[in-house]
Amino acid sequence: MIYLDNAATTRPKPPGVVEAMTDAMMSWGNCGRGAHAQALASARAVFSVREQVARLFHAKRADHVCFTPNSTLALNIAINGLLGPEDHVISTDREHNSVLRPLYRLHQQGMGLDFVQANRQGQLQYEEFEHLLRPNTKAVVCTHASNLTGDLTDIGWIGTFCRAHGLLLILDASQTAGVFPIDMEAQQIDVVCFTGHKSLLGPQGTGGLCIREGVEIRPFAVGGTGVQSYLETQPADYPARLEAGTLNSHGLAGLGAALDFLETTGMDLIRSHEMALARRFYQAVHQIPGITVYGDFTTEWRAPVVALNIGTYDSGTVADELAERFGIAVRPGAHCAPRMHRALGTEEQGAVRFSWSWANTEAETDQAAEAIRILATEV
Amino acid sequence: MRQKEVRCVVTFRTTAAAMEMERLCKESGLPGRLIPIPRTISAGCGLCWSAPSEAEGALEDLVMAQHLMIDGIYAVLL
């Protein structure tokens, strides 16, 4: 089996992840609940992961890293905790439903909402940001990379734009954290929302928000924190403010091991490997008659994703052929990116998305390209 | 039960702050350990740093120098 659906979740996880989770489950108590050795072991390890995440995003404070089960919940917390009906928000056509649906819900409650449109090639026109500004614009919420095409958003440009106009920048780093540099200071990002199970190479059920000091997010859920128990409201201090209930410390043990792997191996090496494989695949397939590849391949600086279609074939049929005949796992359909599919004109057909990670090989990539060549000749 | 003595106790508003305190104390060679917060200080659950009373000055210096997010420093008979 050739797994090329790493934009959905990376597989396999690097060495040490499973072992760390097993050790945690066999030995740890509850993080922040008690002062015995087992509880402290968990609390120390979870804090260490906060420090790793803060280092990764160049955040000043580890205690401003708040954990959630995934980036969808992190985005819900950031969006609902910072924005309200009186505000106006700018987003983009590249967004995943994890950004879109929280924004749409607030829009239904009265919040102003505009999108920087993607053109037929999926590219954003950055001058549109300026045109969409309103007096009550409070934030830009955007993804770092399209989960459909892999095209990167220029967050440095957007960060500068946000600072110039006094806006918050909430970044969805689901597809890029751990592979592409994210610097909250240099790129002027206020909140980075991340998931552990994609490019960070950790387990599902991990994710969170990394928050710039001074950004005050209203808590989404309230409840047990292990501290200030007689207070009737959620404690005001991060991370407890956004972490009601028992943390997934077992999952975070795995995320910590994955971050160890990323730090030891090096983000640049992993990114180069993944990008080289995606480029190799693109070079092999983009000129095959009947193949349409989406996104901007004039730049090397893009997430390791190639989305394509064969003629007018249903993307689901193509993905099924790839799985059943060639043992290749990819993702067809809409990829939770409805605005991007509308922009690309693929709303009906969907697209077949190939995505790479650290463990993929050139041989696998070549087999996938050959499978596409065979299927294209059969249309 | 062990014999009681006056200890220097540092309290925190989050577990994360307690973890940071523990790590920095270990790195600085300062004495103490994390214990459940005494009910004479707070009825809430949580952790605090308990150290010999003579370490109070050094702990205060560390808190100030590292901008640690503490809730308070107490002398408590434990």
Side-chain angles (χ1 to χ4, degrees), chain A residues 33-148:
Chain A
R33 309 294 193 271
H36 51 76
Q38 291 73 28
L40 289 179
S42 176
R44 288 182 189 118
V46 167
F47 186 71
S48 172
V49 184
R50 294 189 206 280
E51 292 181 310
Q52 287 177 296
V53 172
R55 270 201 305 278
L56 181 68
F57 297 136
H58 299 262
K60 285 185 175 169
R61 293 188 51 172
D63 63 355
H64 279 43
V65 174
C66 303
F67 291 119
T68 64
N70 48 51
S71 57
T72 293
L73 194 55
L75 284 158
N76 269 274
I77 290 169
I79 290 168
N80 288 290
L82 287 168
L83 305 170
E86 68 282 5
D87 298 319
H88 171 253
V89 168
I90 301 172
S91 189
T92 83
D93 274 352
R94 284 187 174 163
E95 306 312 315
H96 186 279
N97 272 336
S98 57
V99 167
L100 295 174
R101 285 179 173 156
L103 290 179
Y104 288 149
R105 188 166 64 174
L106 280 173
H107 181 53
Q108 286 164 6
Q109 295 165 9
M111 186 187 77
L113 178 60
D114 283 299
F115 291 92
V116 173
Q117 294 183 343
N119 63 19
R120 193 78 177 173
Q121 287 74 47
Q123 303 311 300
L124 301 176
Q125 306 304 310
Y126 287 89
E127 61 271 18
E128 268 195 57
F129 279 94
E130 195 89 34
H131 301 150
L132 295 174
L133 270 176
R134 292 191 204 166
N136 64 332
T137 304
K138 186 170 181 186
V140 170
V141 187
C142 70
T143 184
H144 193 188
S146 164
N147 69 310
L148 172 55

Side-chain angles (χ1 to χ4, degrees), chain A residues 72-288:
Chain A
T72 293
L73 194 55
L75 284 158
N76 269 274
I77 290 169
I79 290 168
N80 288 290
L82 287 168
L83 305 170
E86 68 282 5
D87 298 319
H88 171 253
V89 168
I90 301 172
S91 189
T92 83
D93 274 352
R94 284 187 174 163
E95 306 312 315
H96 186 279
N97 272 336
S98 57
V99 167
L100 295 174
R101 285 179 173 156
L103 290 179
Y104 288 149
R105 188 166 64 174
L106 280 173
H107 181 53
Q108 286 164 6
Q109 295 165 9
M111 186 187 77
L113 178 60
D114 283 299
F115 291 92
V116 173
Q117 294 183 343
N119 63 19
R120 193 78 177 173
Q121 287 74 47
Q123 303 311 300
L124 301 176
Q125 306 304 310
Y126 287 89
E127 61 271 18
E128 268 195 57
F129 279 94
E130 195 89 34
H131 301 150
L132 295 174
L133 270 176
R134 292 191 204 166
N136 64 332
T137 304
K138 186 170 181 186
V140 170
V141 187
C142 70
T143 184
H144 193 188
S146 164
N147 69 310
L148 172 55
T149 64
D151 289 338
L152 288 172
T153 303
D154 188 347
I155 54 172
W157 187 95
I158 295 175
T160 302
F161 169 82
C162 286
R163 278 298 167 273
H165 298 284
L167 312 181
L168 295 167
L169 173 52
I170 302 170
L171 183 72
D172 173 7
S174 301
Q175 298 295 336
T176 55
V179 176
F180 287 87
I182 294 174
D183 188 327
M184 292 183 75
E185 290 302 312
Q187 294 166 320
Q188 304 177 87
I189 305 163
D190 293 291
V191 185
V192 175
C193 298
F194 62 93
T195 192
H197 72 100
K198 294 188 177 182
S199 44
L200 286 177
L201 308 178
Q204 296 174 6
T206 60
L209 311 86
C210 195
I211 304 160
R212 178 194 287 276
E213 194 168 11
V215 175
E216 304 296 338
I217 301 176
R218 295 183 296 273
F220 183 65
V222 295
T225 55
V227 294
Q228 304 182 60
S229 294
Y230 285 84
L231 200 62
E232 293 192 357
T233 55
Q234 190 72 1
D237 298 88
Y238 294 123
R241 183 198 292 207
L242 302 182
E243 290 181 349
T246 292
L247 285 173
N248 176 14
S249 60
H250 302 151
L252 293 171
L255 180 60
L259 288 164
D260 285 341
F261 175 82
L262 286 169
E263 287 180 5
T264 306
T265 308
M267 177 191 292
D268 294 343
L269 188 65
I270 292 170
R271 185 180 61 248
S272 299
H273 173 73
E274 295 175 359
M275 287 166 70
L277 293 179
R279 175 66 58 173
R280 183 183 181 93
F281 179 77
Y282 168 77
Q283 296 291 5
V285 302
H286 80 283
Q287 288 184 323
I288 296 173

